[in-house]
Amino acid sequence: MSNVLEFPYCELPDVQAEAQNTSIEDIPDFTLAINNASRYIDSYCRRDFLYHDNRSIPLLVAPSWCAENVIFIPRPTIELTKIELSDDNGITWTQVDPVHWTLVKVDGAASSRIAATFDWQPLGRALPRQIRLTGQFGYAKAGIPVGRTAENFNPDSVPSPDLPAEIRTACTVIAAVRSGKYRKDVISPDGQSRTITIRSIPDDVVKMLDGYRVSFL
């Protein structure tokens, strides 16, 4: 069982507080549950909430991201430096002059948009035009905390500071439930207190994820 968080969307203290459980023996279970919950969110939302460095290897735009003259990117754009179009065979790439496109970034948004003065996928072409984007996308990695050094800090072991609050909350609750260690005291109809294990993800948590779910692939 892994004791290391890998690209998590919440941290161990989050889940311990949610489950009201700080037992040292349960830390490995919580850690595994956080990793699994994070990947579950990726699968459910059909996207991830990580950092993507496409400065050296450009991001290839999926045809379903294009609608007339707008590209809908299912992640925030941190920096966009270049847009290139190819012929149908993807052999010859031509850079688009910046005067012909506008990047729309919204603080805290789950996506970003690029609007052009022309149609990215004009009708009558045998195949959709291929588009690739050079830049940085997604959610920036955490910086090195005070008192730590690059040698003893792995930014991939903590959530991005830019992660949407709903994603962090959802990951916390899902991990607590899936760990099997999430227990709460409830009052039964006869007035007696008893402890139950929470095994179902609340509907409001699923609704949080629905707001970030990509409706197209």
Side-chain angles (χ1 to χ4, degrees):
M1 184 177 296
S2 174
N3 288 314
V4 179
L5 292 178
E6 299 174 344
F7 305 102
Y9 295 151
C10 69
E11 296 184 86
L12 177 62
D14 298 332
V15 179
Q16 289 176 317
E18 178 69 24
Q20 299 182 27
N21 182 338
T22 58
S23 171
I24 295 177
E25 290 78 9
D26 290 333
I27 289 178
D29 291 320
F30 284 143
T31 301
L32 178 62
I34 291 172
N35 289 337
N36 289 342
S38 300
R39 302 294 74 77
Y40 168 80
I41 290 173
D42 290 345
S43 177
Y44 184 86
C45 293
R46 303 189 182 113
R47 51 164 295 177
D48 63 53
F49 298 85
L50 304 173
Y51 170 70
H52 294 266
D53 188 349
N54 292 108
R55 289 174 291 184
S56 299
I57 301 177
L59 171 65
L60 190 62
V61 173
S64 58
W65 295 359
C66 299
E68 297 182 349
N69 70 322
V70 179
I71 297 175
F72 297 88
I73 307 174
R75 60 186 63 133
T77 296
I78 300 172
E79 174 190 51
L80 178 62
T81 58
K82 186 192 301 183
I83 300 177
E84 295 173 291
L85 305 179
S86 79
D87 58 19
D88 290 334
N89 296 318
I91 297 174
T92 303
W93 292 89
T94 303
Q95 183 171 340
V96 179
D97 192 306
V99 300
H100 295 307
W101 56 267
T102 302
L103 172 65
V104 179
K105 296 196 292 184
V106 180
D107 291 342
S111 61
S112 48
R113 303 187 302 277
I114 302 170
T117 56
F118 57 88
D119 192 345
W120 301 105
Q121 297 176 314
L123 298 176
R125 299 179 64 89
L127 293 172
R129 174 184 285 133
Q130 292 183 298
I131 308 167
R132 63 187 186 188
L133 311 175
T134 299
Q136 301 176 72
F137 305 91
Y139 300 86
K141 294 185 179 183
I144 301 174
V146 176
R148 302 286 293 276
T149 65
E151 289 72 24
N152 64 13
F153 174 69
N154 178 9
D156 295 332
S157 68
V158 295
S160 166
D162 299 330
L163 192 71
E166 295 88 349
I167 298 301
R168 183 160 185 153
T169 298
C171 185
T172 297
V173 176
I174 293 171
V177 172
R178 295 287 179 84
S179 72
K181 309 291 184 180
Y182 192 6
R183 298 180 178 86
K184 280 190 174 182
D185 293 330
V186 298
I187 304 299
S188 61
D190 61 3
Q192 298 297 313
S193 175
R194 63 191 182 93
T195 301
I196 63 171
T197 299
I198 307 298
R199 301 188 182 280
S200 299
I201 300 172
D203 291 340
D204 61 335
V205 171
V206 177
K207 290 180 180 178
M208 289 181 189
L209 295 180
D210 285 340
Y212 292 90
R213 196 178 195 192
V214 175
S215 58
F216 50 83
L217 296 176

